């Protein structure tokens, strides 16, 4: 974590220090997004949203199956006890 903390400003300023080896900044000087990057940014946001929906749905299905399995085990235990 210490090395990562030191590395963050180096990575951030590297696009200004070594202009020949790095692409131009995506954010302009006032902190706004370059208009050429807006399309890619919107697709990225959509993709991450769809990933979140997928993971949430998967987690729901897994939890529901676990609950049904627990329910069936409890019913089988009750039947065996009778």
């Amino acid at each position: 974590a210490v090395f990562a903390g030191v590395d963050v400003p180096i990575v951030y300023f590297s696009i200004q220090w070594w202009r020949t080896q790095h692409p131009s900044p995506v954010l302009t000087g006032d902190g706004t997004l370059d208009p050429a990057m807006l399309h890619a940014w919107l697709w990225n946001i959509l993709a991450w949203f769809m990933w979140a929906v997928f993971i949430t749905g998967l987690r729901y299905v897994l939890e529901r199956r676990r609950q049904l399995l627990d329910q069936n085990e409890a019913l089988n235990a009750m039947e065996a006890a009778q």
Side-chain angles (χ1 to χ4, degrees):
V2 172
F3 293 117
V6 171
D7 192 42
V8 166
I10 293 171
V11 170
Y12 179 77
F13 288 111
S14 66
I15 59 173
Q16 295 169 354
W17 294 339
W18 300 292
R19 295 287 287 167
T20 58
Q21 296 178 349
H22 292 278
S24 61
V26 175
L27 296 177
T28 59
D30 59 356
T32 60
L33 185 65
D34 185 350
M37 291 298 295
L38 181 62
H39 188 70
W41 182 78
L42 290 174
W43 275 110
N44 193 354
I45 293 298
L46 177 65
W48 278 106
F49 176 74
M50 295 305 293
W51 176 249
V53 167
F54 171 74
I55 292 296
T56 303
L58 181 64
R59 179 69 180 113
Y60 175 81
V61 167
L62 290 174
E63 181 62 22
R64 186 66 184 135
R65 286 182 182 176
R66 187 194 61 79
Q67 289 175 355
L68 291 173
L69 183 63
D70 289 346
Q71 178 184 357
N72 288 336
E73 288 176 0
L75 289 174
N76 289 339
M78 284 177 49
E79 288 176 0
Q82 291 179 354

